[in-house]
């Protein structure tokens, strides 16, 4: 009987010594991973990579939006200025009609031919207006090299310097784009030379 009890005690001691070899729980594993510096570095690297990919996606999205806007502006500009060449060529027709009207109005009577020319000129200007073609304001305006082309200067003290005094050929705009600058005469003030008396010593 004594031998059996000693044997049981010995077996119990052996069972107790086996208990430290039991598998670790999930909590213990998680705590070990949390304390592991290599695990932290891995998570930080993944987060950095995700942030970098997010930035790439945002940049690509912004670039695509800018591309769409730029293409839409190009399409709008093409629609607005598609007829630019045609209107530029029609300007010479308008010039000739205006010259014909100007030379014919010197006569005392207006003939039916002159009336027809005036109607044609009026219809052309109406067509221009429907397509946003309008004349450049020039006469009695300050000279603007963006819209006016100075042909010559005329000395004139009645108006401020660099003022358009005469329009030799009308300029035209298509929307906000210059089709042709106005050919103008620009004023230049006459300088009066005043001789100062010299002081005698």
């Amino acid at each position: 009987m004594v031998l059996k009890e000693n044997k049981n005690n010995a077996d119990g001691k052996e069972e107790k010594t086996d208990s430290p070899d039991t598998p670790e729980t999930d909590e213990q594993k998680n705590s070990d991973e949390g304390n592991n510096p290599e695990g932290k570095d891995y998570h930080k690297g993944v987060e950095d990579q995700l942030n970098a990919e997010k930035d790439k996606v945002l940049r690509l999205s912004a670039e695509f939006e800018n591309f769409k806007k730029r293409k839409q502006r190009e399409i709008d500009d093409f629609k607005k200025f598609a007829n630019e060449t045609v209107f530029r060529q029609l300007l010479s027709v308008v010039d000739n009609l205006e010259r014909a009207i100007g030379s014919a109005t010197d006569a005392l009577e207006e003939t039916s031919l002159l009336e027809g020319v005036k109607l044609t000129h009026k219809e052309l200007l109406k067509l221009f207006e429907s397509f946003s073609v309008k004349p450049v304001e020039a006469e009695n305006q300050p000279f603007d090299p963006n819209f006016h082309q100075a042909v010559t200067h005329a000395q004139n003290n009645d108006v401020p310097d660099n003022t358009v005094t005469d329009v030799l050929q009308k300029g035209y705009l298509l929307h906000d784009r210059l089709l042709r600058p106005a050919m103008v005469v620009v004023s230049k003030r006459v300088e009066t030379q005043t001789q100062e008396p010299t002081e005698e010593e």
Side-chain angles (χ1 to χ4, degrees):
M1 294 292 290
V2 175
L3 292 173
K4 287 183 180 179
E5 287 177 1
N6 292 335
K7 190 176 181 181
N8 288 336
N9 291 334
D11 292 338
K13 287 179 183 177
E14 288 178 0
E15 288 177 0
K16 287 180 183 178
T17 55
D18 291 338
S19 60
D21 295 336
T22 56
E24 294 179 344
T25 62
D26 292 338
E27 293 178 358
Q28 289 174 336
K29 285 184 178 179
N30 292 335
S31 63
D32 290 342
E33 287 180 359
N35 295 328
N36 188 1
E38 292 182 359
K40 288 182 181 179
D41 292 341
Y42 173 75
H43 288 304
K44 188 174 183 305
V46 171
E47 287 178 2
D48 292 342
Q49 190 174 359
L50 281 175
N51 291 330
E53 293 299 325
K54 285 180 183 178
D55 290 340
K56 284 183 183 178
V57 171
L58 289 174
R59 279 199 299 271
L60 285 174
S61 176
E63 287 177 5
F64 183 66
E65 286 298 321
N66 291 335
F67 173 77
K68 284 200 310 185
K69 290 177 182 177
R70 186 169 62 252
K71 283 297 175 186
Q72 189 60 46
R73 281 197 302 269
E74 289 176 0
I75 292 170
D76 293 341
D77 286 345
F78 177 77
K79 289 178 181 178
K80 282 171 67 176
F81 304 112
N83 299 322
E84 182 178 359
T85 305
V86 176
F87 286 120
R88 190 177 282 119
Q89 293 176 356
L90 282 174
L91 292 180
S92 60
V93 179
V94 174
D95 293 339
N96 290 332
L97 288 173
E98 289 176 351
R99 290 189 193 100
I101 293 171
S103 61
T105 49
D106 295 336
L108 295 176
E109 295 181 357
E110 287 194 0
T111 62
S112 58
L113 177 62
L114 176 59
E115 192 62 31
V117 172
K118 283 185 175 181
L119 285 174
T120 305
H121 177 256
K122 186 177 180 181
E123 289 298 319
L124 263 176
L125 293 182
K126 192 182 294 184
L127 175 67
F128 279 7
E129 187 177 353
S130 66
F131 283 94
S132 298
V133 178
K134 53 189 178 183
V136 173
E137 294 184 7
E139 194 164 359
N140 297 324
Q141 298 292 321
F143 176 75
D144 187 348
N146 295 316
F147 301 103
H148 308 146
Q149 182 178 347
V151 178
T152 184
H153 287 83
Q155 292 184 342
N156 192 336
N157 288 337
D158 296 333
V159 293
D161 201 18
N162 280 336
T163 300
V164 176
T165 57
D166 194 13
V167 179
L168 303 179
Q169 188 181 60
K170 287 183 181 179
Y172 287 90
L173 293 168
L174 174 59
H175 294 283
D176 55 349
R177 182 181 291 181
L178 186 67
L179 273 176
R180 185 179 73 183
M183 299 176 68
V184 298
V185 178
V186 183
S187 67
K188 186 177 182 181
R189 295 186 68 83
V190 180
E191 295 181 1
T192 57
Q193 295 182 353
T194 58
Q195 187 175 0
E196 296 181 359
T198 58
E199 295 182 359
E200 296 181 357
E201 293 182 357

